[in-house]
Amino acid sequence: MANIKLIRADFRLIHGQVVTKWVKMVKADKIVVISDTLAKDEFMASIYIMAAPPGIEVKVYSVEGAVEAWKENEMGEGSLLILFKSVDEIYQCFNKGFPMKELQIGGLGAGPGRKIVYGPITLDKKDADMLREMQERGTRVYLHQVPEEASAELEKVLSKVSFD
């Protein structure tokens, strides 16, 4: 059984901060990327796999594939850093039974209808509603950009933002 060390939303997936800071901090030896788009694009998946540091295994799954891999053998062995590109895919996995005791929101990019809610992290109303529901159903949701900076709980952040 694999040990989930961190589940993180970061639209950049495997990049400098994740590789140099979060992998070391949580002592992960395997990165799992869950993305329907990336799971269908072997070329782009290979770029992310090559971005990982030596000795760190990378697996790319679709939402459905990740849920199946967890149900089959809890993704095998290792200490996992799980990365998602979007809140929507996190929410889908969660609703299909993928275990999420804690969820770190680390980097979600700008776009129409999105508001900066904490540092450079953005959310839109749909993201906020899905995250709030996950929290109400038992997942601790917090925002945390990099290890050396402070984190903030979802409810505290959302209490200061209006999406209307």
Side-chain angles (χ1 to χ4, degrees), residues 81-121:
L81 168 59
I82 299 176
L83 298 172
F84 286 90
K85 196 173 188 97
S86 72
V87 173
D88 187 56
E89 288 178 318
I90 293 167
Y91 186 72
Q92 288 177 52
C93 261
F94 176 77
N95 281 326
K96 291 177 187 248
F98 196 89
M100 294 190 199
K101 292 178 185 164
E102 291 191 353
L103 171 62
Q104 180 186 90
I105 306 300
L108 296 172
R114 299 188 73 78
K115 292 188 177 189
I116 295 172
V117 295
Y118 188 73
I121 300 170

Side-chain angles (χ1 to χ4, degrees), residues 2-156:
N3 182 7
I4 297 173
K5 296 291 195 168
L6 177 64
I7 300 175
R8 178 177 168 90
D10 193 324
F11 76 104
R12 297 169 294 177
L13 297 172
I14 300 173
H15 62 91
Q17 283 180 340
V18 169
V19 170
T20 62
K21 296 181 180 182
W22 291 113
V23 167
K24 289 178 185 174
M25 183 176 174
V26 301
K27 296 180 174 72
D29 57 17
K30 188 176 188 180
I31 297 173
V32 173
V33 175
I34 301 174
S35 165
D36 286 341
T37 304
L38 204 55
K40 294 175 192 168
D41 188 336
E42 285 184 40
F43 175 73
M44 286 305 297
S46 71
I47 290 172
Y48 283 104
I49 290 166
M50 287 186 289
I56 302 293
E57 181 183 1
V58 178
K59 293 280 189 182
V60 178
Y61 293 99
S62 64
V63 167
E64 201 61 50
V67 172
E68 288 172 19
W70 187 262
K71 287 179 180 175
E72 182 181 311
N73 69 354
E74 297 184 352
M75 292 188 168
E77 299 295 322
S79 297
L80 308 181
L81 168 59
I82 299 176
L83 298 172
F84 286 90
K85 196 173 188 97
S86 72
V87 173
D88 187 56
E89 288 178 318
I90 293 167
Y91 186 72
Q92 288 177 52
C93 261
F94 176 77
N95 281 326
K96 291 177 187 248
F98 196 89
M100 294 190 199
K101 292 178 185 164
E102 291 191 353
L103 171 62
Q104 180 186 90
I105 306 300
L108 296 172
R114 299 188 73 78
K115 292 188 177 189
I116 295 172
V117 295
Y118 188 73
I121 300 170
T122 68
L123 294 174
D124 61 18
K125 182 174 180 0
K126 182 180 175 188
D127 285 352
D129 289 346
M130 288 185 286
L131 293 172
R132 192 175 270 135
E133 180 186 330
M134 289 177 67
Q135 186 161 278
E136 289 168 359
R137 291 171 53 195
T139 300
R140 175 185 172 232
V141 181
Y142 65 101
L143 290 77
H144 201 172
Q145 181 81 18
V146 292
E148 57 273 6
E149 293 177 7
S151 65
E153 296 299 317
L154 177 69
E155 278 311 311
K156 184 176 181 185

